[in-house]
Amino acid sequence: MTAPPDTAPTVLACGEVRTCVLPSRRPLDSDAAAQLLQLRADERVLVSKRPNLYVLSPQTLTGVDCRLPTANGAKVRVVGTVAVRAALTEGRILQSSAYFRTPAQGPDRRRPWGHYLIRPGVLEPLGRLPESAAAQGVLAGGRPGELDLGLIADGVLTPLVRHPLLDQRAPLKSRHTRLRWAALPADPGQGPAIEEFTLAEDDLRTVRLRVPAGTEPAAIAALCEDFALHDWLLTTVVRLLDGRLGPVEGPDALTALRPAVEHLMHLWMPRARGDRTLRALWDVLEHDPGFTRQWDNLVQRVRDRLALLNALPKQPVAQPARAGEKT
């Protein structure tokens, strides 16, 4: 995790990703998406159209001066800035992401804000950082008054979903999901690894990683945004189809299946972007819990049901009797 000049090497990077469906009846095209995600006037929005439409906002910064959550109760004060950005995939799935990096030790006293502003996305501890306890503390969630990355990510997401460009007519019912991540340095000579991936209650997921020294936190954030996007897709389709692939025929069955087919099934594309070295971590999730295996099974079940519905004989529609005719 590369540090800017005059800072010690990074020993911990953490972040949180919020994912939701865009509240718009139609997906946004590239121009509208760029307008939506223009978070700063002095930097351009990045637009990628291959292999799918992906729009990334400029990075913004949120200044913080607070305690960092720790698993062992250690009182660690951090000062600096959290990096925040937003992304829109295929004009349909909106994400906001907040993340930071921190060195093992900082000064005993707070420095002027100018010192922190030239180190974007860096939080310096006052004193020594217990990196493992801090990683677990961030993943578990802090107490009131401690750093809350989800709150910072929501600070970007909330105004975006209320943007005048959007008609507030979401194409399907879904929930927001949260993915928290923490990355510690890997041992010398070791590659990246996922130490833990958990599905918690209240649509929370946590990921604990090991990454080689020199890995940019923005690259780790991109990987976790990709994890979060596909976890949201899988979670949402499972909920859409829950109890609806039973013996249901006719319009009711089509109504149940249509949102998944029209709006979600074409979005599955893990590893479409990001650092090539970190993309290998997708192999862990493909093995256990088996993201794509479960997705392919759901898609096949939907296709089988649609084929069955298409093969069933059409039921005649009763015509209303005309005046004077016997029924």
Side-chain angles (χ1 to χ4, degrees), residues 160-219:
L160 288 179
V161 297
R162 297 174 180 172
H163 197 281
L165 278 173
L166 310 178
D167 59 19
Q168 303 303 316
R169 297 171 62 187
L172 52 93
K173 291 183 179 181
S174 65
R175 301 178 189 175
H176 293 206
T177 58
R178 302 172 291 154
L179 184 143
R180 290 184 194 144
W181 59 268
L184 294 160
D187 293 333
Q190 297 297 311
I194 295 179
E195 292 188 326
E196 183 180 70
F197 182 89
T198 64
L199 303 179
E201 296 179 357
D202 301 324
D203 299 296
L204 172 65
R205 288 82 173 93
T206 62
V207 184
R208 182 183 171 108
L209 305 156
R210 292 280 178 176
V211 296
T215 304
E216 286 287 347

Side-chain angles (χ1 to χ4, degrees), residues 77-235:
R77 179 183 171 190
V78 291
V79 186
T81 60
V82 173
V84 192
R85 65 189 187 187
L88 188 65
T89 301
E90 285 292 349
R92 179 59 76 197
I93 310 302
L94 179 64
Q95 295 180 288
S96 65
S97 183
Y99 58 95
F100 69 89
R101 58 186 175 186
T102 182
Q105 190 161 352
D108 293 332
R109 296 183 180 181
R110 177 180 166 181
R111 296 173 177 176
W113 267 116
H115 168 85
Y116 303 106
L117 290 177
I118 63 173
R119 294 164 174 80
V122 176
L123 296 184
E124 289 187 353
L126 299 189
R128 184 161 184 81
L129 177 77
E131 52 260 35
S132 182
Q136 287 302 111
V138 170
L139 293 178
R143 302 176 182 87
E146 295 180 335
L147 179 65
D148 188 337
L149 292 173
L151 188 63
I152 295 173
D154 267 343
V156 169
L157 189 68
T158 299
L160 288 179
V161 297
R162 297 174 180 172
H163 197 281
L165 278 173
L166 310 178
D167 59 19
Q168 303 303 316
R169 297 171 62 187
L172 52 93
K173 291 183 179 181
S174 65
R175 301 178 189 175
H176 293 206
T177 58
R178 302 172 291 154
L179 184 143
R180 290 184 194 144
W181 59 268
L184 294 160
D187 293 333
Q190 297 297 311
I194 295 179
E195 292 188 326
E196 183 180 70
F197 182 89
T198 64
L199 303 179
E201 296 179 357
D202 301 324
D203 299 296
L204 172 65
R205 288 82 173 93
T206 62
V207 184
R208 182 183 171 108
L209 305 156
R210 292 280 178 176
V211 296
T215 304
E216 286 287 347
I220 309 171
L223 172 75
C224 292
E225 289 159 8
D226 198 27
F227 286 167
L229 170 66
H230 291 84
D231 172 76
W232 183 91
L233 285 170
L234 189 56
T235 301

